[in-house]
Each structure stands twice: as structure tokens, then as C-alpha cells.
């Protein structure tokens, strides 16, 4: 079956512009996570959803970052007034059911964001 | 708060040899899970193996096994009979089994298999 998909795969934008990154999770997956990965580092948690409810947004760096999952499926991560320090790989992951003891997160290919 | 420490930034191993990638963790949770992911140069994140904190047996998945030492808070990944395709970044991660379900990752180990 289809895995987690993300679009666009690459995004180059100018400082100050807004960007919207999309994640399409595996069908039927309840939980959806956003991570950010800097070059040479491990992914860092940003936020996650169970169905349409945002359960934790403690990893969002500041109020320029927001995320939504209005129908409990596709999610959008929005960065307003982008800055050069926002440049990174943004990864989405989904899992069958949050809270289960063994709950593998399946990662998407990521969106490489470059802010000029 | 949870933390993962991977002290080996890079490793070079001869093909067909076994390799151990180190991972130590810190958590105040009683129930948690430990995960290993592989990230090849293509950039994808591939799940390898999982160990629950209450699992009595060390996890194994094919050529991958996890040397779990709870008292020492370590969860080392062992790859037996390494292959050229094992060359990649390897990340150890921890997740609480209650409450927040986020994965906390280490900084990774870059493994290079030498033919």
C-alpha cells in the first residue's frame, strides 16, 4: 500500500514568505507527527495529532509555526514569515494508534525547505 | 524529559563483520519504548527494531538485534554479518508509553561498510 507522502519534496522560498507543507498519512492511521531534521542531526519533534485533535505542540519553535489536520487525515504545517534558520528537512510520520505500547511511526520522504 | 546519547559519530566496519552501535538513554518514565531507525543516503527513515522497557527478551529482527541493558540504560543495536547496503545513518530513539507519544532521537551514527 501507499506510504506517507509529503509535498512538495523541495521548497525554496525567500525570507519573509509563508510556506505550507503537506502530509498525507497512511490510510487509516490515527496519529500524525511532524518533525524537523537539521543536517547531520536526528529529527526533532514539532507537534502531533490524534485524529483531528492537536495533542501536543510543545515542539513548535515559535508562533510563526502552526499545524492543522481538520478532517483527521491530511495535515498542513504552515510557517509564516520564514527566516533562514527555518531551513531544514521537515518530516511527517503516521502511526496506527497513538498510545499503544508498540507503535511504529512510518516516516514520509520529507520536504526540504530552503529559505534564502 | 527524555534524552538519547549516541557517542559514535562515525564507524567503519569491514563487510561481513558484526557491528555494535551504542545508544544510552535517560528517562524518568517507568514504561517506555526504544526504537532504531536507519537513514540511507536517499534520506528515507526506515524502522529497524523496537524494544519495550518491560520486555524480558532482547528484541531481534533478522540480522538486527538489540542489546538491552535496562540497569545501565543502554540499548545498543547489533548488526550481524554486515553488508554494503548497511552503510547509512542510524538513529536511536525513545518514546514514553504514556502521555506524549513523540519520539526523541539521538544525533545518530554514520556507519560505513568497507568491502
Amino acid at each position: 500500500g501507499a506510504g506517507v507522502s509529503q509535498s512538495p519534496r523541495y521548497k525554496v522560498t525567500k525570507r519573509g514568505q509563508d510556506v505550507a507543507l503537506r502530509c498525507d498519512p497512511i490510510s487509516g492511521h490515527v496519529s500524525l507527527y511532524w518533525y524537523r531534521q537539521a543536517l547531520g542531526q536526528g529529527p526533532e519533534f514539532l507537534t502531533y495529532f490524534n485524529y483531528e485533535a492537536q495533542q501536543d505542540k510543545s515542539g513548535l519553535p515559535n508562533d510563526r509555526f502552526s499545524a492543522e489536520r481538520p478532517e483527521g487525515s491530511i495535515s498542513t504545517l504552515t510557517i509564516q514569515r520564514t527566516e533562514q534558520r527555518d531551513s531544514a528537512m521537515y518530516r511527517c510520520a503516521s502511526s496506527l494508534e497513538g498510545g499503544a505500547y508498540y507503535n511504529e511511526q512510518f516516516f514520509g520522504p520529507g520536504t526540504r525547505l530552503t529559505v534564502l | 524529559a527524555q534524552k538519547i546519547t549516541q557517542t559514535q559519530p562515525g564507524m567503519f566496519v569491514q563487510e561481513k563483520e558484526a557491528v555494535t552501535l551504542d545508544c544510552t538513554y535517560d528517562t524518568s518514565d517507568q514504561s517506555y519504548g526504544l526504537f532504531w531507525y536507519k537513514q540511507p543516503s536517499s534520506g528515507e527513515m526506515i524502522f529497524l527494531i523496537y524494544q519495550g522497557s518491560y520486555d524480558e527478551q532482547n528484541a531481534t529482527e533478522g540480522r538486527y538485534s538489540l542489546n538491552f541493558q535496562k540497569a545501565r540504560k543502554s540499548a545498543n543495536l547489533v548488526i550481524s554479518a554486515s553488508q554494503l547496503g548497511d552503510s547509512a545513518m542510524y538513529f536511536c530513539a525513545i518514546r514514553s508509553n504514556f502521555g506524549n507519544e513523540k519520539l526523541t532521537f539521538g544525533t545518530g551514527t554514520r556507519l560505513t561498510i568497507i568491502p
Side-chain angles (χ1 to χ4, degrees), chain B residues 64-92:
Chain B
Y64 304 107
S65 61
L66 206 150
N67 183 0
F68 181 48
Q69 298 186 48
K70 191 171 180 178
R72 299 179 65 179
K73 292 191 172 180
S74 75
N76 298 340
L77 177 70
V78 180
I79 306 174
S80 63
S82 58
Q83 303 171 356
L84 295 178
D86 294 333
S87 294
M89 280 288 284
Y90 288 81
F91 292 101
C92 180

Side-chain angles (χ1 to χ4, degrees), chain B residues 7-80:
Chain B
T7 57
Q8 306 153 310
M11 289 187 70
F12 291 84
V13 172
Q14 204 74 38
E15 190 180 6
K16 297 187 177 63
E17 289 185 353
V19 56
T20 297
L21 304 181
D22 295 341
C23 171
T24 57
Y25 61 90
D26 192 19
T27 181
S28 55
D29 294 317
Q30 295 301 309
S31 180
Y32 51 89
L34 294 151
F35 299 76
W36 277 92
Y37 282 83
K38 173 183 179 181
Q39 187 172 52
S41 57
S42 58
E44 57 195 304
M45 290 284 284
I46 303 168
F47 165 76
L48 296 178
I49 196 166
Y50 165 86
Q51 179 82 44
S53 58
Y54 286 112
D55 293 343
E56 294 186 352
Q57 303 279 345
N58 283 342
T60 61
E61 288 287 347
R63 292 187 300 113
Y64 304 107
S65 61
L66 206 150
N67 183 0
F68 181 48
Q69 298 186 48
K70 191 171 180 178
R72 299 179 65 179
K73 292 191 172 180
S74 75
N76 298 340
L77 177 70
V78 180
I79 306 174
S80 63

Side-chain angles (χ1 to χ4, degrees), chain A residues 2-66:
Chain A
V4 178
S5 60
Q6 293 186 245
S7 61
R9 292 292 308 277
Y10 302 90
K11 177 70 177 178
V12 180
T13 190
K14 291 184 179 179
R15 185 165 49 95
Q17 296 293 307
D18 298 349
V19 296
L21 312 180
R22 172 183 164 130
C23 172
D24 199 342
I26 294 172
S27 177
H29 277 196
V30 166
S31 301
L32 185 147
Y33 311 80
W34 283 99
Y35 295 86
R36 180 168 70 174
Q37 186 175 16
L39 207 58
Q41 300 293 316
E44 285 186 302
F45 170 79
L46 295 176
T47 185
Y48 89 95
F49 296 82
N50 279 342
Y51 298 99
E52 72 281 0
Q54 191 171 21
Q55 298 293 326
D56 184 349
K57 55 181 181 179
S58 63
L60 296 176
N62 51 60
D63 60 9
R64 295 186 297 106
F65 287 73
S66 63

